[in-house]
Amino acid sequence: MMDAQTLRAQQAPFKQQYREHPETALVTHSVEGQLGGDLTIDIKTKYGTITAGPHPATGGSGRDICSGDILLEALVGCAGVTLNSVATAMEIPLRSARIKAEGDIDYRGTLGVSKDVPVGFKNIRLKFTFDTDAPQEKVEKLVSLTERYCIVLQTLKNSVEVSSTVSRA
């Protein structure tokens, strides 16, 4: 397990670089996909290809991952990495920790059944479960800081400008 001193030493050169050269802190992430069969898309990742398809509630087969699941997985992944980092920095020993994300979607919106129903998640809930001897106030601070520094959570909460472009092959 990494300790707080090792974490600080590992992050120190990045923090210093970003203080001295803030422009180097802006990193562009990129993901690309190509349409597949049966309403799917093959998403190329650094770790392999993920095939995403429609959720069974919209007529999908259920064999492929749904983009809503990918969003919740990204949230749990980001919250977990952030939680681990914050717990390490705060020197809070965790015997175990679980994070669960749930979200509700009314598929009448995405299927065009009702124009009054928004497309997308209606709400998302994060549940943190800990096995630790840390006092409750430290655990609450841990969760608060995790929420503050989790990139995916903050993106969802604060929204982000999204633009599209069109080109031809």
Side-chain angles (χ1 to χ4, degrees):
M1 296 278 304
M2 185 177 294
D3 62 20
Q5 183 178 359
T6 304
L7 175 64
R8 286 186 187 95
Q10 184 175 326
Q11 293 178 340
F14 295 100
K15 289 181 176 187
Q16 184 65 30
Q17 177 180 333
Y18 299 157
R19 281 186 194 99
E20 293 174 5
H21 305 283
E23 70 281 1
T24 64
L26 183 61
V27 176
T28 300
H29 294 249
S30 178
V31 176
E32 188 173 316
Q34 181 160 339
L35 293 184
D38 296 327
L39 307 178
T40 64
I41 184 165
D42 294 326
I43 304 165
K44 307 291 184 209
T45 76
K46 296 176 191 176
Y47 309 101
T49 300
I50 299 170
T51 300
H55 190 276
T58 65
S61 68
R63 288 188 311 265
D64 304 306
I65 193 163
C66 154
S67 56
D69 293 333
I70 294 171
L71 180 72
L72 295 178
E73 290 166 350
L75 176 57
V76 168
C78 187
V81 170
T82 306
L83 175 80
N84 229 338
S85 297
V86 173
T88 300
M90 291 178 68
E91 298 180 324
I92 297 176
L94 300 174
R95 283 184 290 279
S96 69
R98 286 191 327 272
I99 303 170
K100 181 178 184 178
E102 297 177 320
D104 304 313
I105 299 173
D106 185 335
Y107 283 105
R108 293 176 300 164
T110 198
L111 288 176
V113 172
S114 175
K115 292 182 181 181
D116 298 332
V117 176
V119 175
F121 280 97
K122 182 177 181 177
N123 54 55
I124 295 175
R125 298 170 298 283
L126 267 181
K127 180 180 181 182
F128 296 88
T129 304
F130 299 103
D131 182 5
T132 182
D133 292 327
Q136 186 62 25
E137 61 273 4
K138 277 192 102 169
V139 171
E140 289 173 7
K141 182 69 171 178
L142 170 62
V143 171
S144 173
L145 290 172
T146 296
E147 291 174 341
R148 178 179 175 186
Y149 293 115
C150 175
I151 293 169
V152 175
L153 178 61
Q154 287 302 317
T155 300
L156 290 170
K157 281 187 167 187
N158 298 313
S159 195
V160 63
E161 183 180 326
V162 178
S163 61
S164 300
T165 60
V166 178
S167 61
R168 292 183 184 257

